[in-house]
Amino acid sequence: MISPFLKYNSLLCFAGHTGRLLKSLCFTSLSFLLLNIIFQITVNSLEARKNINPQYNCTTWEKTFRQLGFQSLKGTDAGNGFRLFVPDIGMFIASLATWLFCKKLVQKTVTEEDAQYNTQFVNEELTEAGKIDMDEALMCEDDFDGEDDVNEGEEESTKLKILRKVASFASKLKEFIGNMIATAGKVVVTILLGVTGMMLPSLTSAVYFFVFLGLCTWWSCCRVFDPLIFSCLCVLMAIFSAGHLIGLYLYQLQFFQEIIPPNDFYARLFGVTSLVQTDCSSTWQFIATPLRNWYHYTNPVVLLVLYYTLATLIRLWLQEPVISYEDNKEDEEGEKEGEYSPAPLTAERRRSLWYGTQYPTDERKLLSMTQDEFKSSDVLLVTVNGTPVDYHPINTSLPIENGPTKIDMYSTPQYKWEHNDDISEKKEEEEEEMETEVSEKKENPKVHAMVVALQFIMKQSYICALISMMAWSITYHSWLTFVLLIWSCALWMIRDRRKYAMISSPFMVIYGNMLLTLQYIWSIDLNPELREVSGLLERKKPEELASKILFNVTFWLLLRQHLTEQKQLKVKEATLSEIKVGSLDKEDEVQKPEEEEEEDDENDIMKVLGNMVMAMFVKYWIYVCGGMFFFVSFEGKIVMYKIIYMMLFLFCVALYQVHYEWWRRILKYFWMSVVVYTMLVLILIYTYQFKAFPPIWMNMTGLNEEKLADLGLETFTLGDLFTRIFIPTSFLLVCILHLHYFHDHFLQLTDLKAVTSKQDNTIYSHAKVNGRVYLIINRLVHPEGSLPDITMMNLTTESEMIDKEEKQMEIYAQQKALDHNSEDEWEKRDEKRGREGGGDTDDEEPVTEESEEEEETTTDSRNKWHLVIDRLTVLFLKFLEYFHKMQVFAWWVLELHIIKIVSSYIIWVTVREVSLLNYVFIIAWAFALPYSQFRPLASSVCTVWTCVIIVCKMLYQLSTIEPLSFSSNCTMPSPNQTNVDNRTELEHSLLYSGPIDPSGWVGLKKSSPILAYLRNNLLMLFILAFEVTIYRHQEYYRCRNNLTAPVTKTIFHDITRQHLDDGLINCAKYFINYFFYKFGMETCFLLSVNVIGQRMDFFAMIHAFWLFAILYRRRRKAIAEIWHRYCCFLACIITFQYFLCIGIPPAPCKDYPWRYYGANFNSNIIKWLYFPDFIVRPNPLFLVYDFMLLLCASLQRQVFEDENKAAVRIMAGDNVEICMNLDAASFSQHNPVPDFIHCRSYLDMAKVVMFSYLFWFVLTIIFITGTTRISIFCMGYLVACFYFLLFGGDLLLKPIRSILRYWDWLIAYNVFVITMKNILSIGACGYVHSLMENSCWLIQAFSLACTVKGYNIPTDQKLCQLPSGEAGIIWDSICFAFLLLQRRVFMSYYFLHVVADIKSSQILASRYVHIGNCSM
């Protein structure tokens, strides 16, 4: 307890109280060791002679000796014996060794001091006592190592360098720790008081705790403790903590525990806990008191740390006298009266003298600025044997021989004070100090940025305070903290919340201190005496006080910031009131523009970055709010209040999709309602956790506990309560931030009617983007500026960009020269100023050649770096330009294909989940695709209906809805009631496989997790909202840029029909643009054949008949006349088939008529007819192929309409068919397409291959189609192939009408084969058993085999082998595709060039034969 007050930093100190303490420790430890040995010998001898009772434990004399420290070792084990006896030995040896070692060091140091001491330049005013004190104070800091004998000429070894580095690091660390103790002592003491007070709440610890609260509250009021008062407080706390420690130590003795039992009221009240207890049977054993927590053991440790810290600070203050404010004033008056009187030699002054010898000039200046009593009028001259230490560094131009000798540099430093009588020098020094401070601020922008950041954080301290209020109320549930929750919510809702938070900060501090006080009182271990108050005051663990104090810290910070701003405002008002109007006018004309320019230059980057971040938040913060809707709604179990959250979100999304202007009008009120609802949810959940509230709710609503839990009202544990309240609280903060900070700007951004020009647009304006990039890079890299003004660059084409870059490089070179010249001018000005102001030229160094070369290299490297940065800036701007173009292109592609994406995904979801609720989607999009005027209506209907489905599915997940309560169980029919002979097949029926939930037919079921169950519907809603977003974005973009929508929906807008023959690349671009425009009808025909081949059922047969009917029209114009009817047929057949997939509800337990007894239907026939059934359900995936056909047919219907538009025909060309009566030879000279026969390019070569040789390749395909399978239908392909091979050459020379007549007959036969195979598939799939038994020849003749999966096909094929490898219409479909392609070749103008070439070749050949005959 005494050791912290003693000095240990001086060897001479061991001759005083420290040495006496070591001697007393040696004597005491030796005495206890000897007495303990004597006690053990005496007790053992008395026991051996039987003079004492062997059972002497816990007797009066034994207790007395044991409390004094003499413990008998009878019966003890080795461990406890070591614990009882060895500490005395160790203490004696340690204290003796320390004393001897210190004594030896003191003797050695005294001899060295006598040898080094020099009294030549001792100040006459110093007395002998003052000299001794000064030497002692200086010697206490560092010891001399005795390295003076080392020769200076020798090189330092690596070990010596390492040792010096370690020594310098240790000295810096020692200095840092010393400064921390000196400067942060008050903070450390305050923190230790708080930790000690809350470690073990009691009446004694309350002293520390309430002192801690008082200090923090006083600090938050912007008040400062007088050093004298604070030191007195520390002395009192040190005395009290010492007494507290002594009391705790004494209570561990058995005597005091018997007087006051550990469970006694007063022991618990004063926090006196027994950590060790005594067992009379084995008094030597160390027994810890059971049922003790960790804070019982750490409390004495924290008390000891607090005491040692206080004692250390008191010792430092005793060495350094405390100066109060009044003393400071008196000192200032004394300085005015006698400025030339010598300063008293205080401890602080002695420390500054020692710092002057140990540190160089720059570090000494820095240290002198930290001294409280530093005066600029005092000039300290540090001398080494009369010579200044800084003599050589200052006068570098003089030879080193004029300085001190090398041997004297290691002698003891001496000091003397010289007082300057010139007041002007004092002013000059003050001005120099101000200039150095200003230059340091300018040269250290990082520190300035940190200060600005800390100021910004302090200004936003109200946010931390409000969050702490909510966190406090959520973490610790009670009525008292409920006030904090309501308080914080009210402040969050106010628009000017910072102002009112500042105003209410004193009440926050008062209320927080009250809560901490009450919690501290109820944390004292007074369980039976101090009862808990339910919902108000409950007994908590002591560690919970720490988190509450952290919450309260934000209140203190807020109050301090509030009072600081008030003081600053008063000072500003006072200064403004003193300024005269005339002087204001004159100064404003000169100073304000310069200051504003400097501030603007400094804050440009921050403003630009802040505006960019703000714009990003304005644009995207609403997505954060939407994400929080999902987080609140789907976290944990689904309850009613979460469903209402989702209903609010769905209402917002649906209104956004249906009516944009209404959505913008009610958006503010929507967020206000969300905020109010969230506060209501928080209040209800919070208040329901009190024990009295569940019965009140049950009586008021008449609902039981389970139904209230479905509403969201249930009691939670502390961890669950935190998540249940924290998530809505976070959502509340997100919504309030959007409502108060981003909502108005968001409405301005999304206003489609307020159209501005492109230059004013922050999103698409290249000038603003370029300006931002230029400003940030130029200011960050080279603040003096070297970049020209590239903000007005118009990066349009690559050629213009290259020309501008070359011009910019020329400007950069000129700018470099200007920068270099300006730097030279600045250097010359600096030299002139130095000559004029310095006076003495001897004190300054001339500029050497090396410094000039270094400056030239630095300027050259800086200019090169400028060029690199400039080039990177230009490249970055080009990247932004290309990125912007990619964005525009992506939005345009999405606009073209979003309707396909939306409809395809919706149909896919409805097919994967067949239900009555999804039937609306099928009806909407089946008729919206062919009739484009209904597409916006279909999107709106699907959006609203998706919201309804999501809400219904979420409501169905409530625990009060039990499907088993309304499910039906159907009994299995007898054999005379059904035509199903196989009982296992009947067991797989939906009616008899288990309980039937009627809601499953509607589209509802229990599922977990709910988010995976709703994933498809949520994605559908997202896609629908994204669709309307794309349309509005494009409208917004075109209005901003004064653009119109393109006439044709193409990718490459500059490609027209004229570019088709300009090369392979332009040809490929043209077909990317207009492939479906040219070949859409053929694509629909191929998709129709695909539907037939994939399904091979009754509805596929209907598709085949429609295909035959359309192809019968032959002419494109005739087909266009009936195409709308075909689209209507496709829409109707899809809706009808989906209705068949839904079927009748299974709940009534009624089967379909074709399953009745006596019905001549089996499962294969039902599947082929695509009838609804509970055993073999229709395959809904077939509708995907029908939808693909409907989508392409709808697009082709749009193509037929576009063909009649003149603008489209100019861009894409017309689709008018060639005249069938046209003669190729007579028309070849007037052909509108260029001749490609002579192969002038690769495109011409491709045309030759396509139009000249495709005919023979198609005949090859026909031959392969007829020979790969053996059936009657293949015979027709072979006959047609041989016919065209025989007469094909002459056929190509005939008119187009004749060619098409034969070719259309071949196409008709191909479609006939496909249709017949589809019709015969009823036998191959439905009646395969009877055909295999009775008509195997029919199967082999027509290659009948079921190619669709899911049918029941017999595996035993010994009697009749099924030709499964030869069946199907794959080769028929391939042949059909090539037949259509060749027909388009016959109908093109390019084919006329081929015919003309063939005809001319024949004419030339005939003339050659005629000439040959004539020559013969």
XYZ file of all heavy atoms in Angstrom, residues 1298-1319:
195
model
N -44.749 -23.387 -112.299
C -44.586 -24.827 -112.531
C -43.676 -25.439 -111.478
O -43.919 -26.552 -110.987
C -44.005 -25.066 -113.934
O -44.855 -24.524 -114.926
N -42.623 -24.727 -111.152
C -41.718 -25.272 -110.133
C -42.437 -25.419 -108.798
O -42.334 -26.447 -108.118
C -40.481 -24.358 -109.994
C -39.702 -24.295 -111.300
C -39.576 -24.850 -108.872
C -38.571 -23.283 -111.284
N -43.199 -24.376 -108.400
C -43.866 -24.411 -107.102
C -44.979 -25.451 -107.051
O -45.293 -25.969 -105.971
C -44.427 -23.022 -106.765
C -43.386 -21.930 -106.469
C -44.065 -20.613 -106.181
C -42.505 -22.329 -105.297
N -45.586 -25.741 -108.221
C -46.660 -26.733 -108.223
C -46.119 -28.088 -107.781
O -46.697 -28.764 -106.921
C -47.279 -26.828 -109.615
C -48.476 -27.795 -109.652
C -49.042 -27.969 -111.041
N -49.494 -26.700 -111.595
C -48.928 -26.104 -112.639
N -47.861 -26.648 -113.231
N -49.392 -24.956 -113.106
N -45.018 -28.513 -108.365
C -44.442 -29.795 -107.979
C -43.901 -29.759 -106.552
O -44.023 -30.730 -105.788
C -43.314 -30.160 -108.954
C -43.811 -30.471 -110.330
C -43.739 -29.532 -111.348
C -44.350 -31.727 -110.625
C -44.200 -29.813 -112.631
C -44.799 -32.017 -111.911
C -44.726 -31.057 -112.902
O -45.187 -31.352 -114.166
N -43.279 -28.644 -106.220
C -42.674 -28.571 -104.875
C -43.735 -28.515 -103.776
O -43.546 -29.107 -102.701
C -41.763 -27.342 -104.794
C -40.712 -27.457 -103.722
C -40.712 -26.844 -102.535
C -39.545 -28.261 -103.755
N -39.612 -27.189 -101.801
C -38.867 -28.083 -102.547
C -39.002 -29.135 -104.738
C -37.675 -28.721 -102.247
C -37.800 -29.771 -104.435
C -37.152 -29.558 -103.200
N -44.830 -27.830 -104.016
C -45.898 -27.784 -103.012
C -46.543 -29.144 -102.837
O -46.988 -29.494 -101.728
C -46.943 -26.749 -103.423
C -46.415 -25.322 -103.243
O -45.401 -25.152 -102.549
O -47.015 -24.385 -103.803
N -46.619 -29.934 -103.926
C -47.132 -31.291 -103.771
C -46.215 -32.113 -102.860
O -46.696 -32.897 -102.031
C -47.253 -31.975 -105.136
C -48.528 -31.632 -105.840
C -48.696 -30.850 -106.935
C -49.828 -32.101 -105.490
N -50.021 -30.757 -107.302
C -50.743 -31.536 -106.408
C -50.327 -32.938 -104.484
C -52.112 -31.797 -106.359
C -51.684 -33.190 -104.446
C -52.573 -32.615 -105.364
N -44.919 -31.913 -102.971
C -43.984 -32.631 -102.102
C -44.132 -32.179 -100.648
O -44.107 -33.011 -99.726
C -42.548 -32.384 -102.582
C -41.438 -33.103 -101.815
C -41.672 -34.611 -101.788
C -40.083 -32.787 -102.414
N -44.315 -30.881 -100.426
C -44.543 -30.389 -99.058
C -45.853 -30.945 -98.506
O -45.937 -31.325 -97.324
C -44.529 -28.854 -99.044
C -43.134 -28.311 -99.394
C -44.962 -28.308 -97.683
C -43.068 -26.806 -99.539
N -46.880 -30.985 -99.352
C -48.171 -31.524 -98.899
C -48.038 -32.986 -98.501
O -48.624 -33.435 -97.498
C -49.216 -31.362 -100.003
N -47.259 -33.753 -99.285
C -47.072 -35.165 -98.914
C -46.329 -35.261 -97.581
O -46.650 -36.122 -96.745
C -46.278 -35.879 -100.006
C -45.997 -37.326 -99.668
C -46.993 -38.299 -99.739
C -44.725 -37.711 -99.227
C -46.725 -39.610 -99.408
C -44.457 -39.029 -98.892
C -45.456 -39.979 -98.980
O -45.195 -41.288 -98.646
N -45.331 -34.414 -97.366
C -44.586 -34.436 -96.108
C -45.496 -34.143 -94.924
O -45.439 -34.840 -93.895
C -43.453 -33.412 -96.190
C -42.622 -33.349 -94.911
O -42.702 -32.393 -94.169
N -41.837 -34.371 -94.667
N -46.375 -33.146 -95.069
C -47.312 -32.820 -93.982
C -48.326 -33.945 -93.803
O -48.739 -34.264 -92.678
C -48.005 -31.478 -94.271
C -49.064 -31.179 -93.222
C -46.991 -30.349 -94.318
N -48.732 -34.585 -94.900
C -49.664 -35.710 -94.809
C -49.052 -36.854 -94.009
O -49.725 -37.476 -93.175
C -50.048 -36.170 -96.219
C -50.812 -37.450 -96.249
C -52.150 -37.481 -95.890
C -50.180 -38.651 -96.604
C -52.855 -38.678 -95.903
C -50.887 -39.834 -96.615
C -52.225 -39.861 -96.270
N -47.774 -37.138 -94.271
C -47.110 -38.209 -93.522
C -47.069 -37.872 -92.043
O -47.322 -38.723 -91.184
C -45.701 -38.440 -94.090
C -44.905 -39.385 -93.194
C -45.783 -38.999 -95.496
N -46.722 -36.635 -91.722
C -46.670 -36.228 -90.303
C -48.035 -36.366 -89.656
O -48.166 -36.862 -88.524
C -46.137 -34.780 -90.204
C -44.673 -34.703 -90.635
C -46.282 -34.238 -88.784
C -44.127 -33.303 -90.739
N -49.076 -35.943 -90.375
C -50.438 -36.027 -89.815
C -50.863 -37.478 -89.626
O -51.443 -37.832 -88.582
C -51.416 -35.301 -90.739
O -50.967 -33.963 -90.952
C -52.802 -35.271 -90.136
N -50.580 -38.336 -90.594
C -50.984 -39.736 -90.489
C -50.238 -40.438 -89.358
O -50.810 -41.270 -88.650
C -50.730 -40.438 -91.812
C -51.690 -40.039 -92.927
S -53.442 -40.254 -92.465
C -53.507 -42.008 -92.175
N -48.975 -40.135 -89.198
C -48.253 -40.747 -88.085
C -48.834 -40.305 -86.752
O -48.875 -41.087 -85.796
C -46.778 -40.384 -88.165
C -46.014 -41.114 -89.259
C -44.533 -40.819 -89.183
C -43.759 -41.630 -90.228
N -42.307 -41.395 -90.160
N -49.284 -39.065 -86.680
C -49.918 -38.588 -85.452
C -51.234 -39.304 -85.206
O -51.553 -39.680 -84.077
C -50.128 -37.072 -85.558
C -50.558 -36.471 -84.238
O -50.503 -37.131 -83.214
N -51.007 -35.234 -84.267
N -52.028 -39.502 -86.281
C -53.321 -40.187 -86.117
C -53.102 -41.647 -85.731
O -53.792 -42.198 -84.865
C -54.142 -40.059 -87.406
C -54.510 -38.589 -87.667
C -55.394 -40.910 -87.347
C -55.158 -38.362 -89.006
